[in-house]
Amino acid sequence: MESMKSTAAGSDLSEQIKAATKDSHVRAENTQLMLNYQKGQITQTQYKLLLCSLYEIYRALEDELDRNASHPAVQPIYFPQELARLESLERDLEHFFGPHWRTRVTVPAATHRYTQRLREIGNNSPGLLVAHAYTRYLGDLSGGQVLGKITQKSLGLSGNKGAQFFWFPGVTSPNRFKQMYRSRMNSIELTEQQRQDLLDEATTAFELNIEVFDDLQKMLSITGEASSDKGNEAKSKRFSSSPVLQFALGVGLTLATVGMGVYAF
């Protein structure tokens, strides 16, 4: 047992997070909302509700990252120019809801719990923000283009209008950027307890996303809005369920993004 602990402590933080969140990862990609997304069966109602939750989540996350940008754990992985999603989400919401979109943002209780957790650790344990930034941003970056194309085809969107969330114009090479990001994160100096706390928080991030997906699905069922979108759903493209596509779809979308399928970190 002691040798196992030593091996774990000596491995990279990014690999430890991947191992610690493996089970939650599988559960996230098998939520009904994500399964529908992977099949290209996303409706406009589902997508708009998803955008609303993503907006609130990223507003909290990016507020706290900005406020704690100089923290020794946050500074190495702080890349607002390349990764920030809030402005893209605002443009997407304006596309669907119009100029007064802020008054129409509706989110389930699980989204409020998620944002409350982000505010809490931003105030009391900023280092734990690393777990949320890593699982969300790298998940979205990994599968964003694939999910963006599925969204465009399913909803008949023109260009990136309404789907800007999925595109990262500040990142010219997603693979190279992810390698650099993991390297910067692995360089963060942590005590053994801080490392364990961060691994636990990464699992919490996945669980919070799963709860959001489940609550969104319940909202659709309770309001009956899902059935009202049958016309759009019937026109949705059906996509291959090949292992390669499903792997690419694993954004985190978080969706991962949204955030979170098969998180191809």
Side-chain angles (χ1 to χ4, degrees):
M1 180 66 72
E2 193 63 40
S3 62
M4 290 176 64
K5 287 183 178 179
S6 298
T7 300
S11 60
D12 289 338
L13 179 60
S14 59
E15 290 300 315
Q16 288 183 314
I17 289 179
K18 188 174 182 178
T21 59
K22 183 178 179 180
D23 291 343
S24 297
H25 179 172
V26 172
R27 289 177 50 234
E29 70 186 34
N30 283 286
T31 59
Q32 190 60 52
L33 187 61
M34 285 298 97
L35 289 173
N36 289 344
Y37 222 115
Q38 291 175 23
K39 295 175 183 176
Q41 295 175 346
I42 189 74
T43 68
Q44 188 173 112
T45 297
Q46 290 172 323
Y47 182 59
K48 289 192 293 186
L49 283 174
L50 180 60
L51 285 177
C52 288
S53 281
L54 287 173
Y55 167 73
E56 293 294 350
I57 290 166
Y58 274 101
R59 183 159 69 107
L61 176 60
E62 293 178 1
D63 279 353
E64 297 307 322
L65 288 173
D66 291 345
R67 197 162 58 84
N68 292 284
S70 61
H71 187 278
V74 175
Q75 191 276 330
I77 53 89
Y78 182 65
F79 293 94
Q81 296 300 316
E82 294 83 358
L83 297 177
R85 299 289 82 202
L86 194 59
E87 289 186 7
S88 296
L89 285 163
E90 289 175 346
R91 289 192 291 268
D92 289 341
L93 287 166
E94 184 173 6
H95 173 79
F96 286 107
F97 293 115
H100 303 297
W101 61 267
R102 293 180 192 276
T103 64
R104 302 184 63 184
V105 171
T106 302
V107 299
T111 301
H112 289 300
R113 290 195 296 272
Y114 196 161
T115 60
Q116 286 169 3
R117 178 59 182 168
L118 290 168
R119 301 291 187 188
E120 177 186 351
I121 62 175
N123 286 324
N124 302 320
S125 304
L128 296 181
L129 290 169
V130 173
H132 293 271
Y134 176 69
T135 54
R136 286 233 56 95
Y137 286 128
L138 263 66
D140 296 340
L141 193 58
S142 294
Q145 290 188 355
V146 173
L147 287 173
K149 289 176 181 177
I150 289 176
T151 303
Q152 288 173 322
K153 292 181 179 180
S154 296
L155 303 184
L157 300 178
S158 175
N160 291 345
K161 292 182 178 179
Q164 293 191 37
F165 168 79
F166 299 105
W167 310 104
F168 290 77
V171 178
T172 56
S173 172
N175 286 335
R176 284 201 296 270
F177 186 89
K178 286 186 292 182
Q179 290 174 359
M180 179 274 293
Y181 192 97
R182 284 191 291 263
S183 177
R184 294 287 295 267
M185 189 178 74
N186 292 336
S187 72
I188 298 172
E189 295 186 4
L190 299 167
T191 65
E192 184 175 347
Q193 185 58 56
Q194 288 172 332
R195 181 175 292 254
Q196 186 57 56
D197 289 344
L198 203 152
L199 294 176
D200 292 341
E201 191 64 29
T203 299
T204 296
F206 271 86
E207 294 301 320
L208 288 168
N209 274 282
I210 291 170
E211 291 176 9
V212 170
F213 299 152
D214 287 344
D215 264 19
L216 288 173
Q217 196 64 40
K218 290 175 184 176
M219 283 180 68
L220 289 164
S221 299
I222 292 172
T223 61
E225 289 180 345
S227 60
S228 70
D229 253 353
K230 274 187 178 178
N232 288 332
E233 186 169 324
K235 297 176 183 177
S236 295
K237 298 284 186 179
R238 264 50 174 185
F239 289 80
S240 168
S241 58
S242 69
V244 174
L245 178 57
Q246 288 187 1
F247 182 80
L249 286 176
V251 175
L253 232 213
T254 170
L255 308 168
T257 311
V258 150
M260 291 178 131
V262 183
Y263 296 72
F265 293 165

